[in-house]
Amino acid sequence: MPAANSTSPLPGAAPAVGVTVESLSKRFGTFEVLRGVSFAVQPGEIFVLMGPSGSGKSVLLKHLVGLESPSAGQTTVAGLDASDPTTRERVRMALVFQAGALFNSLSVYDNLALYPREHRLGDEAAIRDRVMRALQILSLENAAHKFPAELSGGMKKRVAIARALVMEPQLLLYDEPTSELDPVMSATITEIIATLRQRYQVTSIVVSHDRDLALAIADRIGILMGGELIFLGPSADLRNPTDPRVADFLNPRIDLEHPRFKHLET
Amino acid sequence: MPNTLSASPASRGTPSVTDRLLTWLPTPVFQVLHGTGSTLLLLGRTLRHVPSLPRQFGRFIEQCHLIGYTTMPIVGILSFFIGSVLALQSGHAGENVGYKQFIGALVGLTMARELGPVMAAVLLAGRVGSAIAAELASMKVYQEVDALETMNIPPERMLVLPRLAAVLTMMPVLTIMADLVGWFGGAIVSKYTHFISIEPASYFANLRQYMDFSDVLNGLIKAEVFGVTVVLVCCNIGLNTRGGPREIGASVTRAVVTSLILILVLDFFVTKALM
Ligand SMILES: Nc1ncnc2c1ncn2[C@@H]1O[C@H](COP(=O)(O)OP(=O)(O)OP(=O)(O)O)[C@@H](O)[C@H]1O
Ligand SMILES: [Mg+2]
């Protein structure tokens, strides 16, 4: 690691990578979660993926890191087939899991240090610097020696993000990074995502229900509903959506006279 | 339960010809073949990472402690009583026939060639195998294994290899301990049971006369086979757990039962092969 970069969590040595999703379909048994989803994310772009709960956003992210393989269609990262296990040897990708997926038997510090240790990225002192920087960015210095079971939900989420930052990834996938966080921490995470891209050209795909986040930092937004992309375009186009489904998803009107749920009788 | 081919990690939309042939097999046959195949594949993937073992010395020591050291007390207690009861039973049966002077050889050979390794392996399955299956299954269910994979850290390297190396190191230790304690238990019972009353000196002289090191070695080879089998089976079942937390318990049960069956089945074949 060059000394000039020693103050940044991401030296930005590796070039940003593009992502393509081509007619991606995914079935679990007979249940079709994704039905021919296509889009491309440019190197260094921030792409925000929105959509109702259960619409397949997490499943889509898992395809990009090779944890699921398509029933039909293809996904590529840096031009390589994402479902091929050798792709992650060539492209550094990090996924911030929706539930954190922290290693429960390791302390927060060791959770972050695992990646650089396993890939032998410097001696313990260098790894310590790297880990502590990531912890500082997420205001987690005091949690370094706690175990995941001792953290609050929001802290787990921040540890998961810090663990992704330590990897200095070329492609950073966030699965609902700001859910469970207070408004200030949400704003901080939003700023971190934008800053990482600005400084190091990290390609970012953010799954989020957070409209503020999406409108503030997304270059483009996709909305997934019923297994299909019902909207794909720059965030400016979302301010006055034409599709009524998009409009209703972004600004659901609370109507107590005609509620959405059915048959709630006491 | 239907054959869950779609659960194999490499599954795609269109199953291959062999996949389709396999789905026609009766479920138990399919499961045996599928389990054997996936366990052997896990062994293959794990062996590829052997060169990384020196770097994982800490994990290896930790696993030696868990697999070997913490299992020693129970192995000691059980083998003491198994040796004792062997002496008691053969003394009782031999009283009339008149072979009780051979008790030393009988206990010695049985412990070394059969009960030492089998008992160490059974305790390994119950104590260590269940813990391995539970730990890996929970890592799988809570997506820790997925996280490792996205970090390009092969789970076989970090989770399976140190355990495999540790079991290979510790099984001989556990087995020799079981042998020695069992012999000792037999000696004590032979001296203090009124209808046997054989002095330890003649007990051990008899034991030495009819045994040599090859008998102990024979047992150690069996123990290594059992140990590797238990660890691989439990790792494989743990890592292939699917679904929610409830499946962790199911995986543990399956891992222990499969291990126990395999120990006894392999015992027969390895014994035969070594004769
Ligand atoms: N391994 C699986 N097996 C079967 N069905 C699955 C599996 N994973 C996801 N699903 C189903 O796929 C659908 C989409 O799940 P997914 O987790 O992608 O939703 P999501 O869009 O991320 O929702 P949320 O916003 O609530 O996180 C759900 O209906 C879920 O039940
Ligand atoms: Mg999700």
Side-chain angles (χ1 to χ4, degrees):
Chain A
M1 198 160 65
N5 288 319
S6 62
T7 53
S8 73
L10 297 160
V17 297
V19 171
T20 66
V21 176
E22 293 152 24
S23 332
L24 174 64
S25 295
K26 179 65 182 180
R27 271 191 317 271
F28 289 110
T30 54
F31 176 54
E32 200 164 32
V33 180
L34 298 171
R35 292 187 284 163
V37 175
S38 298
F39 64 90
V41 180
Q42 304 306 317
E45 187 176 7
I46 297 181
F47 184 84
V48 174
L49 189 62
M50 304 178 84
S53 183
S55 57
K57 305 179 297 294
S58 299
V59 169
L60 199 153
L61 285 190
K62 284 186 195 159
H63 279 84
L64 298 179
V65 290
L67 291 176
E68 296 279 3
S69 41
S71 303
Q74 208 196 9
T75 52
T76 70
V77 174
L80 305 163
D81 183 355
S83 62
D84 181 343
T86 61
T87 299
R88 50 179 170 250
E89 288 166 17
R90 300 203 250 167
V91 185
R92 273 202 312 280
M93 301 183 264
L95 169 59
V96 178
F97 284 82
Q98 188 165 2
L102 302 179
F103 304 117
N104 281 309
S105 61
L106 301 180
S107 70
V108 167
Y109 182 90
D110 290 334
N111 260 278
L112 269 67
L114 185 70
Y115 180 85
R117 279 180 187 152
E118 286 293 311
H119 293 277
R120 285 188 276 184
L121 305 173
D123 57 15
E124 258 324 289
I127 289 172
R128 190 177 170 75
D129 279 356
R130 193 169 164 149
V131 168
M132 291 317 288
R133 267 198 317 272
L135 286 175
Q136 267 159 21
I137 291 178
L138 289 135
S139 324
L140 285 166
E141 304 95 314
N142 296 329
H145 295 291
K146 291 196 168 160
F147 280 83
E150 303 164 348
L151 303 177
S152 73
M155 283 165 94
K156 281 186 194 157
K157 193 121 252 179
R158 276 145 63 203
V159 174
I161 296 172
R163 190 175 69 180
L165 295 189
V166 168
M167 289 175 67
E168 303 179 349
Q170 295 163 274
L171 172 63
L172 195 34
L173 309 171
Y174 304 85
D175 200 345
E176 307 200 7
T178 59
S179 64
E180 294 187 83
L181 298 183
D182 62 81
V184 176
M185 194 42 80
S186 297
T188 313
I189 301 292
T190 311
E191 289 162 10
I192 290 170
I193 298 171
T195 311
L196 289 177
R197 189 275 299 270
Q198 197 184 354
R199 282 211 209 137
Y200 313 109
Q201 291 298 299
V202 189
T203 310
S204 313
I205 301 182
V206 189
V207 165
S208 183
H209 296 297
D210 186 339
R211 255 180 318 166
D212 297 339
L213 174 147
L215 294 176
I217 61 169
D219 295 311
R220 283 185 311 142
I221 294 177
I223 297 182
L224 201 58
M225 203 179 278
E228 287 165 358
L229 270 187
I230 58 163
F231 174 87
L232 180 64
S235 50
D237 289 4
L238 265 193
R239 295 188 199 272
N240 293 302
T242 46
D243 189 326
R245 288 176 299 173
V246 175
D248 186 57
F249 175 70
L250 289 176
N251 291 302
R253 215 161 52 82
I254 294 171
D255 182 350
L256 296 179
E257 300 301 310
H258 308 94
R260 285 157 205 269
F261 59 83
K262 295 177 188 91
H263 311 298
L264 184 75
E265 259 128 52
T266 46
Chain B
M1 199 176 69
N3 295 339
T4 46
L5 274 170
S6 56
S8 80
S11 74
R12 290 299 182 85
T14 47
S16 71
V17 179
T18 39
D19 279 358
R20 249 177 291 162
L21 273 179
L22 282 173
T23 11
W24 283 100
L25 289 172
T27 303
V29 179
F30 170 84
Q31 281 180 340
V32 168
L33 288 178
H34 189 267
T36 313
S38 66
T39 309
L40 290 176
L41 286 175
L42 177 68
L43 176 64
R45 290 199 305 275
T46 307
L47 291 181
R48 277 210 312 245
H49 298 290
V50 167
S52 78
L53 200 52
R55 282 199 289 127
Q56 304 202 66
F57 193 68
R59 282 190 197 124
F60 167 72
I61 294 297
E62 188 188 343
Q63 290 302 327
C64 282
H65 175 82
L66 286 175
I67 292 176
Y69 187 72
T70 62
T71 316
M72 277 179 187
I74 181 119
V75 168
I77 293 169
L78 283 207
S79 43
F80 180 85
F81 283 103
I82 289 205
S84 311
V85 90
L86 261 179
L88 205 57
Q89 289 278 27
S90 45
H92 180 67
E95 211 182 3
N96 310 323
V97 195
Y99 64 70
K100 71 178 187 186
Q101 69 272 27
F102 292 113
I103 284 181
L106 211 142
V107 174
L109 281 170
T110 317
M111 283 309 294
R113 295 184 65 106
E114 187 61 38
L115 291 182
V118 167
M119 211 190 45
V122 166
L123 292 176
L124 181 84
R127 240 198 125 270
V128 177
S130 56
I132 292 177
E135 182 175 355
L136 300 201
S138 115
M139 290 186 75
K140 175 75 187 189
V141 165
Y142 293 109
Q143 293 187 307
E144 293 179 37
V145 174
D146 287 352
L148 282 180
E149 279 178 22
T150 62
M151 295 167 115
N152 194 24
I153 301 170
E156 297 86 8
R157 184 177 82 197
M158 192 178 133
L159 302 176
V160 185
L161 184 62
R163 291 180 164 90
L164 207 55
V167 84
L168 277 169
T169 314
M170 297 315 291
M171 268 317 263
V173 178
L174 289 176
T175 309
I176 287 181
M177 182 181 152
D179 293 353
L180 291 177
V181 176
W183 295 344
F184 181 68
I188 291 187
V189 166
S190 303
K191 177 168 165 57
Y192 291 108
T193 308
H194 65 91
F195 59 82
I196 306 179
S197 299
I198 291 177
E199 282 304 309
S202 55
Y203 171 92
F204 280 111
N206 183 255
L207 185 149
R208 263 202 302 268
Q209 192 190 341
Y210 287 94
M211 271 187 79
D212 56 32
F213 184 67
S214 72
D215 293 310
V216 176
L217 189 69
N218 187 297
L220 294 185
I221 293 172
K222 281 161 101 173
E224 294 284 42
V225 173
F226 300 156
V228 167
T229 308
V230 168
V231 165
L232 276 179
V233 163
C234 294
C235 285
N236 191 48
I237 289 178
L239 287 174
N240 282 304
T241 307
R242 254 153 251 274
R246 228 166 72 101
E247 307 303 321
I248 298 172
S251 278
V252 173
T253 310
R254 209 146 59 86
V256 173
V257 171
T258 311
S259 298
L260 292 179
I261 293 174
L262 280 176
I263 288 169
L264 295 182
V265 171
L266 283 174
D267 187 30
F268 177 80
F269 288 105
V270 178
T271 305
K272 207 151 185 288
L274 289 176
M275 270 172 178

